[in-house]
Amino acid sequence: MRYSIIRLSFLCFYLLIIPVFLMAQGKFNPVSKVKPRNIIFILSDDHRYDFMGFTGKVPGLKTPNLDRIANEGAHFQNAFVSTALCSPSRASILTGLYAHSHTVVDNQAPAPKTLVYFPQYLQKAGYQTSFFGKWHMGGGDAQPRPGFNRWVSFPGQGVYYNPKLNIDGKTVSYTDSAYITDVLTDLTIDWLKKRDKNKPFFVYLSHKAVHAEFSAARKDKGIYRDIQIQYPVSMFSTARAGSKKFTRGQQADSSAYTFNYKDIPQWVRAQRNSWHGVDFMYHGQTDFDRFYIDYLETLMGIDHNVGRVLDYLKESGLDKETLVIYMGDNGFSFGEHGLIDKRHAYEESMRVPLIARLPDLIKPGTRIKEMVLNVDIAPSILELAGVRKPENMQGRSFIPLLNGNVSSDWRKEVFYEYYWENSFPQTPTQFAVRTDRYKFIRSQGVWDIDQLYDLQKDPYELNNLIRKSEYQLLAAELNKKLWEWLDKTNGLYIPLKPINEKKGDHIYKDTW
């Protein structure tokens, strides 16, 4: 009997861990007669998809350098992450795998040693590679990781001013009000100047900004103090009698939309009065209006330093042949449904900014409507480096889209997953499937209603159609697609991670 139990336990372990191991492995497969491109990938933190000057979302917001990339290159208008959380998304970018495959499912989960990061393939292809900035996975430390000839990072979230950086394994402390976004860009440009000119290069510039708590560069503090704050259509849909009043900003016109107040999930209503809700944000440490302005001013450091990278490329004669990609690691809510932050499966959380510039390949003003994902970054970069996508990668190269070559079999839907965290228990496990018109959201493990939205008629996700008789067949079809995706990608299990700390929320704080 004891032997049977041991054998069964081993079998369960085998079934869980082997798919992860297989997903993590890949074979280096170069393509002959392909000229490797120089590539710079710039990643920001918590930058929502529409907070850029050229979108017109925020009147008065100016991002000339991000606008330059979009205007001189391509704007992916429908870019998404498969998990809207720092560590899982960053792991998906580096591996081309979904979170349930690489198993970095939260900000504490260690990265399995079997994972292969796409810069490792670039090294085999003759690239000199470098990483500068926030890593934030694999336990949160700043130790060098495989795939990079130069390594600059810091533990966890890092700090905005006077950072301590791990540079190739050695700790270097900065003083004199050194600003992290400037420092990382300084180090990036310095490395580019000293690189081997006879080899192609890949730079992964991974900013801390604009992660909370926001802190702008000194020169940018106060520049948006008088900006008109925009309150979204759904900000007050979950308000109660005792909810906070917001009067400084401008309320969006909601007269053209139908609100289904009855079928707003209870967990969404409750979250309004939490760390991630507008009534008690960060447990009362700040207020929405100040928060909004601080975010915009901190974003200016990103835009300025993107411009510095672009200027260096132009001065060095590299701007025509170097691919520059700018992306956010996840989206961010600014009051929608009474929420801030990310994690949930609403549009502002799972959509991200994604723009790219490469004059030799991309026509100015290119606009791409097809849905792309964070898992597509790795295979796309590998294609331009002359490396075939490893079979284990679940993403797909979007390089053909940059040329206007849209395949008939390009994805018709994107899938989303988020796993409940002990640190922020107010958001349940979320699974979602989104097409170009509809979105179906399942909340797993809570006694609550699920959600279905017609995004063409209801872009702000105000009218939950899940009870409507005429939408039952559609809901069933999307539900089937969701579970088929999880099954096909070995996601029919929740990769649990140990919880070793007490609760930190304001209702059950310091309990187990």
Side-chain angles (χ1 to χ4, degrees), residues 37 69-70 72-77 323-325 354-370 372 376-377 380-381 383-384 397-407 410:
R37 300 279 189 172
I69 296 177
E72 297 179 1
H75 175 214
F76 293 85
Q77 297 172 312
L323 171 67
V324 177
I325 300 175
L354 179 58
I355 49 181
R357 182 187 185 276
L358 177 57
D360 284 354
L361 177 68
I362 308 171
K363 292 181 180 179
T366 297
R367 297 295 178 259
I368 297 171
K369 296 182 179 180
E370 284 72 28
V372 298
D376 298 334
I377 294 295
S380 300
I381 289 177
E383 179 174 337
L384 282 185
S397 172
F398 53 63
I399 299 303
L401 301 180
L402 295 173
N403 293 317
N405 299 322
V406 182
S407 173
W410 189 261

Side-chain angles (χ1 to χ4, degrees), residues 192-244:
L192 285 168
K193 290 178 178 178
K194 296 176 181 177
R195 75 188 191 283
D196 184 344
K197 305 292 193 297
N198 297 315
K199 293 181 179 181
F201 63 81
F202 170 71
V203 173
Y204 194 121
L205 176 52
S206 180
H207 287 296
K208 168 186 172 56
V210 280
H211 194 282
E213 285 99 8
F214 315 126
S215 185
R218 283 184 170 180
K219 64 183 179 61
D220 296 322
K221 289 183 177 180
I223 63 173
Y224 288 125
R225 67 168 67 91
D226 298 321
I227 200 167
Q228 180 67 63
I229 295 170
Q230 307 295 306
Y231 298 143
V233 171
S234 62
M235 183 164 174
F236 304 102
S237 62
T238 55
R240 298 168 294 184
S243 290
K244 281 190 174 182

